[in-house]
Amino acid sequence: MAKTVEIQLQGRVPEELQVPDAALRVPVASTPASLRELVAHLLSRDPAELPALQFVCESTLIRSTLEAALDASAGERVVTVEYFEALLQPSESQSYPHDDWISAISTDHHTAILFASFDGTVQAMHGAEKVLLDSRQVPVKALSTCILDDSTIMAAYGGKDRKVYLTSYDVSQRAASAIAESAAGGASIEDVCFDATGKHIATASTDGIVSVWPTRPVPASASGDAEPSTAKRRRASSKTEAAVMSIIPRFTLRAHTQSATGIRFVGEAKLVSGGHDGCVKVVDIESTSEERSLSCGKAINALDISDVSGLVVTAHADKFVRLWDPRIDAGRAVEATLGPHKNWTTDVAFHPSNEHRFCSASLDGRVRVWDTRATSTPVLSIKGHEDKVFAARWWRDGASIVSGGADSTLRVASLADAGK
């Protein structure tokens, strides 16, 4: 007689795809296809009418049989099997070549993709149309954006020249104008981010320092700059010149003993940062002090935070990605370790609306999509780049993933047919 196990199906799907709450006995040899047929039967639906589904048991994505995901005690209890709409391989993708390595990407706007490059430029892509926002003399490593209105983007960026820049970009007019810049600091800027209000940015630099800056500039004389602000100009892509004012940090803190590589706001009152010292730090902005320090001992290359769950995800030089809960005290620092990639992971980004999904980029040339409910294996692995991938971001509420790296190509992989 075939071996069986008692399961309870839980659908992380729209209400019309959720099955009744009941325990069911099924063969341990059940496959994803047979489980999907079971869901269709319980819903009194034709299996052909259902979207592609993925099933998770014991934090393991079921790829072959249910038995492969069960532990030894499964026969003595009811096992929960979750299911959700599957991510499929991209239905289509577009590739846009550039002149140099792509270092950072921002996809906050629904029609324009902004990216930074090792050639020192910050540019906007509108389909195949490319618009120059700024050009520096050294690589730009960090980029973040804030949407002021449907046609206006404020961009913050920095890199090897140790300065932070603010630029306004008019999407409809395809025109950029400089807002402000900082004086040169002590080290290269590795990451930058806006807070939810757009009133502040935070930076992480290679000297281990994290800083918070206002986005409203001050006259150069107020910052102690001997040169009048009206004399400090740089040319924007609109071919017009405008006075550039100064920004000075609200505070700086040496949060890491080695390079600080990732920074995000936690609401308006706190920061979370990561660095090559293997630590995740929580910083209180008001008191300008470290509130909490968590460590895994593995160098962190990038981080992101979920606005929904509050979890932090980090990319590491040991090829893994890790999930953290920065709200807990030191002890059980890492919630889960996922991977590995075949080489260093270089970037991570949470899905904009699905709290369980995030993507990772790697020097192995792949972008992977993970689900926090299935930590043993990625739910999708996208191969499109011919070289190292340095940056990856979700676009249009998760309908696409935009990535770039050492093949000097910006790639947009469409996931529109795969569900979220």
Side-chain angles (χ1 to χ4, degrees):
M1 188 170 66
K3 186 178 178 181
T4 61
V5 65
E6 197 169 17
I7 68 169
Q8 185 168 23
L9 288 168
Q10 291 186 357
R12 309 302 185 186
V13 289
E15 186 175 353
E16 63 271 16
L17 295 177
Q18 295 181 11
V19 300
D21 188 8
L24 306 163
R25 186 158 290 278
V26 300
V28 295
S30 296
T31 63
S34 62
L35 290 171
R36 182 172 174 274
E37 289 178 358
L38 176 60
V39 170
H41 173 74
L42 294 172
L43 295 173
S44 300
R45 301 267 296 271
D46 185 334
E49 298 176 356
L50 297 186
L53 298 175
Q54 289 179 312
F55 296 84
V56 173
C57 177
E58 310 284 345
S59 298
T60 299
L61 187 68
I62 301 174
R63 294 190 179 276
S64 55
T65 65
L66 177 58
E67 185 173 27
L70 297 173
D71 62 29
S73 65
E76 305 169 4
R77 55 189 171 85
V78 177
V79 176
T80 299
V81 175
E82 296 181 286
Y83 64 95
F84 45 84
E85 291 185 60
L87 276 178
L88 309 177
Q89 282 296 324
S91 57
E92 58 180 275
S93 62
Q94 296 83 38
S95 294
Y96 304 104
H98 186 56
D99 298 327
D100 207 338
W101 292 5
I102 293 172
S103 54
I105 296 169
S106 182
T107 53
D108 292 324
H109 197 271
H110 63 282
T111 64
I113 299 169
L114 272 64
F115 70 92
S117 172
F118 278 73
D119 64 7
T121 64
V122 177
Q123 309 206 34
M125 293 294 302
H126 301 264
E129 179 188 0
K130 190 185 296 184
V131 181
L132 178 66
L133 275 67
D134 194 10
S135 181
R136 315 311 306 171
Q137 299 300 312
V138 296
V140 178
K141 298 289 297 298
L143 170 68
S144 182
T145 57
C146 176
I147 306 303
L148 301 182
D149 56 52
D150 194 55
S151 63
T152 309
I153 302 172
M154 180 161 50
Y157 47 95
K160 293 290 188 178
D161 64 359
R162 301 172 289 126
K163 299 175 73 173
V164 183
Y165 301 91
L166 290 172
T167 291
S168 176
Y169 178 58
D170 188 316
V171 176
S172 59
Q173 298 297 319
R174 306 291 199 264
S177 57
I179 300 173
E181 64 184 57
S182 71
S188 173
I189 304 298
E190 291 294 293
D191 197 16
V192 62
C193 68
F194 279 91
D195 69 1
T197 68
K199 296 179 180 179
H200 294 90
I201 58 172
T203 57
S205 54
T206 54
D207 55 6
I209 289 178
V210 299
S211 304
V212 172
W213 312 72
T215 56
R216 175 174 293 183
V218 298
S221 58
S223 66
D225 196 328
E227 182 182 12
S229 62
T230 54
K232 296 182 69 178
R233 303 174 184 271
R234 56 188 169 94
R235 188 174 299 276
S237 63
S238 61
K239 307 302 182 183
T240 62
E241 291 190 349
V244 180
M245 301 184 78
S246 298
I247 53 173
I248 56 177
R250 175 178 166 182
F251 84 85
T252 62
L253 176 69
R254 189 175 297 278
H256 297 273
T257 58
Q258 299 181 45
S259 177
T261 54
I263 189 80
R264 291 294 184 270
F265 281 92
V266 184
E268 296 182 37
K270 297 178 183 180
L271 293 171
V272 62
S273 65
H276 282 169
D277 56 5
C279 294
V280 168
K281 301 292 185 76
V282 179
V283 176
D284 182 81
I285 295 175
E286 187 63 32
S287 64
T288 66
S289 62
E290 180 183 302
E291 182 179 284
R292 188 170 293 114
S293 178
L294 306 173
S295 178
C296 69
K298 304 295 182 181
I300 295 171
N301 294 325
L303 64 71
D304 195 21
I305 187 168
S306 169
D307 293 333
V308 182
S309 68
L311 293 178
V312 169
V313 62
T314 49
H316 293 265
D318 67 352
K319 309 177 187 178
F320 288 89
V321 292
R322 289 176 172 86
L323 284 169
W324 312 65
D325 189 341
R327 297 161 295 193
I328 66 172
D329 292 325
R332 188 170 59 94
V334 177
E335 294 285 306
T337 300
L338 300 85
H341 275 270
K342 294 181 179 179
N343 207 325
W344 288 16
T345 51
T346 53
D347 200 14
V348 282
F350 271 105
H351 192 285
S353 58
N354 186 330
E355 65 180 293
H356 299 292
R357 293 252 169 93
F358 64 90
C359 66
S360 62
S362 172
L363 297 186
D364 64 13
R366 290 184 178 270
V367 174
R368 289 182 172 178
V369 178
W370 306 85
D371 194 293
T372 59
R373 298 161 296 189
T375 56
S376 64
T377 184
V379 296
L380 183 66
S381 184
I382 304 171
K383 172 63 176 175
H385 290 277
E386 300 301 323
D387 207 333
K388 300 178 284 288
V389 184
F390 298 139
R393 288 291 182 271
W394 300 89
W395 191 33
R396 293 176 173 169
D397 197 32
S400 302
I401 292 179
V402 183
S403 55
D407 62 358
S408 303
T409 299
L410 191 73
R411 188 174 187 273
V412 183
S414 175
L415 307 175
D417 296 334
K420 297 176 184 177

